[in-house]
Amino acid sequence: MSSADLAQSIGRELPYLRRYARALTGSQRAGDNYAAATLEAILSDRSILLEEDDTRIGLFRTFHAIWQSSGQPVDDSNRTTREMRAQDHLRNLTANSREALLLRTIEELRFDQIGRVMQVDEAEAEELVRIALNEMSASMRGKVMVIEDEMIIAMDLKGIVQAMGHEVTGVARTHSAAIELAGQSRPDLILADIQLADGSSGIDAVNELLRDMGDIPVIFITAFPERLLTGERPEPAFLISKPYNEEQVRSAVSQAMFFASTEGLDAA
């Protein structure tokens, strides 16, 4: 593969590597630092990527090697208290389980591909995903608001969230309805589409809610992920493409609630 072809191939996969990194760290800044370190490693030694015939797998495997060797965000000098507590909380989970879960549910890799990324066999990759689902889903409960104009999808999301043991505060179909609903009951997590009824924007609604209510985790579920995977700031830590499946939603909700729950943890 020529240098130009390799660069083009990496460019196609980079938004998804950044999505994975943000979900893994719970922080856009830390996730982007990891993605940048991955690219630097490839630039210094192109052979580490050429060992894989699949650019995506090679890119994620290089990332994972850096993640494993560092054990914390590449540049943690400006980490918030919440992020530091989240990292402490992560140490209580089974090693490699969250990584496997995200690769499976958000990035939709097969178990054999996860094994290649993480350098484990296929059976271990599958077991790590099972462990992660159990550990993450059992760790916390909270209030979830759904912003979605398609009622069938909204009811499906509501059912998934409630089956996980969370309370759904309501469903909003427009920007104004979302602001009103949040005012009635402050959510711990927001599930939002980006294109709403009456032409309003879920992104605008979420931005207004975050300005008014502070740092609430958000999961965008959209048929237009390219609108949010631009490399511009800010970007969501959690992004699911439509059509989605239940496993993806459950994983993202558990991850987001996990990071949100660290706000109340003692520093120790």
Side-chain angles (χ1 to χ4, degrees):
M1 184 184 295
S2 69
S3 295
D5 289 340
L6 180 61
Q8 186 176 33
S9 183
I10 291 174
R12 286 195 300 267
E13 301 299 339
L14 186 58
Y16 303 101
L17 180 71
R18 294 178 61 248
R19 173 174 67 177
Y20 170 68
R22 291 197 307 274
L24 187 60
T25 62
S27 162
Q28 179 175 338
R29 183 185 66 254
D32 284 352
N33 285 338
Y34 269 112
T38 301
L39 294 180
E40 289 172 5
I42 292 169
L43 286 173
S44 65
D45 183 5
R46 178 177 166 178
S47 67
I48 64 176
L49 191 59
L50 296 180
E51 292 172 1
E52 265 289 347
D53 56 7
D54 185 324
T55 300
R56 187 182 193 194
I57 300 302
L59 192 62
F60 276 76
R61 187 174 71 178
T62 303
F63 172 96
H64 191 266
I66 294 171
W67 168 258
Q68 287 292 92
S69 65
S70 68
Q72 58 184 354
V74 172
D75 176 10
D76 63 357
S77 58
N78 294 314
R79 279 195 296 165
T80 65
T81 299
R82 174 182 169 183
E83 288 166 358
M84 289 188 289
R85 291 176 181 177
Q87 292 301 320
D88 289 339
H89 198 179
L90 291 176
R91 295 188 183 98
N92 295 322
L93 301 178
T94 299
N96 290 327
S97 60
R98 289 181 59 254
E99 293 88 335
L101 178 62
L102 286 169
L103 289 169
R104 174 61 179 167
T105 58
I106 303 302
E107 302 308 324
E108 301 184 85
L109 298 187
R110 303 187 307 268
F111 289 120
D112 65 301
Q113 292 174 318
I114 295 170
R116 284 155 58 192
V117 168
M118 300 179 65
Q119 298 294 283
V120 300
D121 61 38
E122 183 175 348
E124 182 176 348
E126 188 169 0
E127 176 66 8
L128 285 169
V129 171
R130 185 193 65 77
I131 291 171
L133 285 170
N134 290 337
E135 291 183 344
M136 297 293 290
S137 64
S139 59
M140 75 292 296
R141 296 289 182 268
K143 296 180 179 179
V144 180
M145 182 173 76
V146 177
I147 305 175
E148 169 62 63
D149 64 331
E150 297 185 42
M151 290 310 297
I152 293 177
I153 294 177
M155 292 303 101
D156 184 50
L157 293 173
K158 180 178 180 180
I160 293 171
V161 170
Q162 288 177 328
M164 295 176 69
H166 303 296
E167 174 188 345
V168 176
T169 62
V171 174
R173 301 184 65 243
T174 64
H175 179 151
S176 58
I179 303 304
E180 181 180 355
L181 179 59
Q184 296 169 359
S185 178
R186 186 185 192 280
D188 300 306
L189 171 67
I190 300 170
L191 293 177
D193 194 357
I194 66 174
Q195 187 169 297
L196 304 177
D198 77 2
S200 60
S201 166
I203 298 174
D204 291 342
V206 166
N207 286 338
E208 183 172 340
L209 289 172
L210 296 184
R211 282 197 305 270
D212 294 343
M213 297 187 171
D215 192 13
I216 300 172
V218 180
I219 301 171
F220 281 102
I221 304 179
T222 175
F224 308 100
E226 65 278 0
R227 297 185 186 178
L228 294 171
L229 293 174
T230 62
E232 299 174 358
R233 296 176 182 272
E235 288 183 334
F238 303 97
L239 175 63
I240 298 174
S241 302
K242 291 180 179 178
Y244 60 83
N245 60 54
E246 180 176 344
E247 188 178 44
Q248 289 175 311
V249 177
R250 288 176 60 87
S251 172
V253 168
S254 293
Q255 301 280 337
M257 280 291 194
F258 176 85
F259 280 105
S261 73
T262 63
E263 284 194 344
L265 294 178
D266 293 332

